[in-house]
Structure formats: structure tokens, C-alpha cells
Amino acid sequence: MSLKSYRHKRDFRRTHEPRGKTLSKRGDHSFVVQKHAARRLHYDFCLELNGVLLSWVLPKGPSLDPKEKRLAVRVEDHPVEYGRFEGTIPEGEYGAGTVLLWDRGRWIPDGDPSKGCWAMTSRSLTPSWWF
């Protein structure tokens, strides 16, 4: 896992997004959902694994109905510090727009996490949701 693609897309002289110094060695299992008002409103979903945040874009956002399926598109890994990022990415930069923390918490492996097997516990910013 690498932050090379993440860093390549950003000009850190213009954006306040975290650069990510090195891969985290904490081994935590955090997750974060951010509401991202970019060109189109969407939500970013990130799971901490192996020192980075594995990241997906949820174009329609998460759903409160567990029977409703939502699209999640895998994007580049993000640094663990991005899980605390809120702010405005300047116009002209990749992902320009406002990023707000929507939910965060911990996830628990339920089988092989590389195959998408996990369960989550929220820090109660929002009720249970699905995608």
C-alpha cells in the first residue's frame, strides 16, 4: 500500500489536506465517512488497514436501509491523518470543495478484511448506515 497516487494528485502548497508523512504503524481499525461537496456532492468512506486509509467514493451516499444497495467506487489510499481532515480544498485542486466529517468509529475484521469482511461500530455521529 502506498500514498504515491494520493500525493501525486495534490499540490500541498495550495491545499491543507494532510500529506501523510509515513505509513501509520498504529494498527488501529478506524473508519471515517466524510461528506464531500466537490463538483458533485458525494461521500468518502475510508477504512484503516496496513497503515493507510483504504478509500471509496459513495456517489449517492450511504443508506439507512440495510436492504438498499449503494455503489462504492475504490479510489487511491489516503493517509491515516486524512480521517481527521475537515476543510475546503481550493478550486483548481483535485477534489476541490468542502469536506465535512459525517461519521467515524472502529471496525472489526469479520474474516479476511482484504475481501471486504468487516463490521463497524459508530461513534454515534449518525445512526447505522449501509452502502
Side-chain angles (χ1 to χ4, degrees):
M1 300 192 178
S2 169
L3 298 175
K4 184 177 180 180
S5 179
Y6 169 85
R7 290 178 180 142
H8 179 73
K9 294 179 179 183
R10 290 158 176 84
D11 180 351
F12 294 103
R13 295 169 296 185
R14 296 200 61 219
T15 183
H16 295 289
E17 294 170 277
R19 181 172 173 74
K21 297 182 189 219
T22 59
L23 298 180
S24 172
K25 295 191 182 354
R26 295 182 331 190
D28 287 351
H29 289 112
S30 65
F31 78 85
V32 65
V33 180
Q34 293 162 313
K35 185 176 181 180
H36 191 168
R39 186 171 0 126
R40 293 204 170 147
L41 177 65
H42 65 275
Y43 290 77
D44 299 320
F45 172 68
C46 305
L47 286 175
E48 184 177 351
L49 183 67
N50 297 330
V52 297
L53 290 176
L54 306 180
S55 303
W56 291 263
V57 169
L58 310 175
K60 293 186 177 182
S63 172
L64 298 178
D65 180 357
K67 295 177 186 170
E68 184 177 359
K69 301 293 182 193
R70 294 286 176 100
L71 176 66
V73 179
R74 183 79 162 86
V75 294
E76 74 277 1
D77 297 341
H78 286 58
V80 171
E81 298 90 347
Y82 200 88
R84 295 183 299 277
F85 175 72
E86 284 190 304
T88 301
I89 301 169
E91 193 165 326
E93 291 300 306
Y94 177 77
T98 303
V99 177
L100 298 172
L101 182 61
W102 192 73
D103 198 3
R104 64 182 173 190
R106 313 233 61 66
W107 66 275
I108 302 163
D110 184 15
D112 183 351
S114 67
K115 295 183 179 172
C117 301
W118 57 74
M120 289 176 260
T121 57
S122 172
R123 289 204 176 131
S124 301
L125 295 177
T126 59
S128 295
W129 45 266
W130 308 87
F131 66 92

